[in-house]
Amino acid sequence: MSLSALRVAVIVFPGSNCDRDMMVAIEKLAGRRPALVWHKETSLDPVDLAIIPGGFSYGDYLRCGALAARSPIMEAVLDHAARGGAVMGVCNGFQVLLEAGLLPGVLVENAGLKYVCRNTCIEVVGGADSPFTAGLVPGQKLIIPVAHNEGNYFAADDDLQRLEDNGQIAFRYVDSDIHGPFNPNGAARDIAGIISTNGRVMGMMPHPERAISSELGSADGATMLTACLEALVS
């Protein structure tokens, strides 16, 4: 199957502001525009990848990820994941996946209690068992921006150790001479992204859709997304 045959859906919540950025990025990389699916829809056409984008669902008030996780479309997303379908959540989308129970842990306010918006350096940790890291090399470093107020990943010590032991940590923040302090939000064990036990659900705080060309400061997001799309069609 070619990349252009890949069926991708981007879920749109009230207040989301990265849905169209993700749509443009996927269309540029795959050659086919993904479907934008409104959160009140109750069904999801067959897709190869469902994306919960970043942004500020429900205006970023009162645990917005918890509200979004109870939108009608999320039942269809949960069904898709239960069938082994691929699901990716970015930033606020990561929070939605946590609140929906598709991934363990929670996101709390940044350790510095300030909104953070800058490039970060992340290191690939996961291996070939997930389409989200299959085309990347463990230890590979990527420059991808973050923009959030609640990106501080937290989980109980037992859950964190389970993530380590099961190889479920996809990306960690690492130091960079160019991009400054390595952990922008105080996330436990420098976690920037995790995957489910079957490798088919992935949540991450950095925005790969904002790093798809050198004109945007980095094309490493394109590297990551293209590797994922190619893994899904192989």
Side-chain angles (χ1 to χ4, degrees):
M1 182 168 70
S2 66
L3 280 184
S4 61
L6 200 66
R7 299 163 299 179
V8 180
V10 178
I11 310 301
V12 182
F13 298 95
S16 295
N17 63 9
C18 298
D19 40 18
R20 293 188 179 276
D21 289 351
M22 185 62 79
M23 179 189 74
V24 170
I26 296 297
E27 183 175 17
K28 176 179 179 178
L29 301 174
R32 177 178 177 175
R33 176 169 292 194
L36 294 179
V37 181
W38 184 233
H39 76 118
K40 285 190 175 181
E41 296 292 333
T42 56
S43 63
L44 193 63
D45 289 339
V47 294
D48 302 296
L49 173 63
I51 299 177
I52 314 295
F56 298 102
S57 61
Y58 293 93
D60 210 23
Y61 297 114
L62 298 174
R63 291 178 64 198
C64 55
L67 294 173
R70 284 147 186 82
S71 284
I73 192 60
M74 286 306 295
E75 286 295 329
V77 173
L78 290 169
D79 288 344
H80 171 70
R83 294 193 300 271
V87 181
M88 177 171 68
V90 173
C91 194
N92 184 206
F94 183 14
Q95 186 180 48
V96 175
L97 297 184
L98 297 172
E99 296 284 359
L102 284 172
L103 293 169
V106 296
L107 291 173
V108 298
E109 204 162 9
N110 296 342
L113 303 181
K114 291 183 178 178
Y115 185 85
V116 176
C117 181
R118 64 174 177 80
N119 274 333
T120 59
C121 184
I122 62 173
E123 182 177 79
V124 180
V125 181
D129 294 336
S130 169
F132 300 106
T133 51
L136 304 172
V137 179
Q140 182 176 354
K141 293 182 174 57
L142 305 168
I143 303 301
I144 300 183
V146 294
H148 57 249
N149 191 56
E150 296 177 347
N152 185 350
Y153 180 76
F154 175 84
D157 287 342
D158 288 350
D159 286 334
L160 290 171
Q161 194 55 50
R162 207 160 17 249
L163 290 172
E164 300 270 11
D165 295 342
N166 293 340
Q168 290 178 249
I169 297 175
F171 306 107
R172 283 189 216 273
Y173 300 109
V174 293
D175 202 0
S176 165
D177 293 338
I178 298 175
H179 299 287
F182 65 94
N183 185 335
N185 48 43
R189 305 197 185 193
D190 306 323
I191 289 173
I194 59 174
I195 54 179
S196 58
T197 52
N198 68 357
R200 303 291 291 178
V201 179
M202 192 271 288
M204 64 185 295
M205 285 312 300
H207 287 263
E209 79 280 6
R210 295 187 183 182
I212 59 169
S213 79
S214 58
E215 294 171 342
L216 296 175
S218 172
D220 288 350
T223 299
M224 184 228 133
L225 289 172
T226 300
C228 169
L229 298 174
E230 289 178 343
L232 287 170
V233 301
S234 63

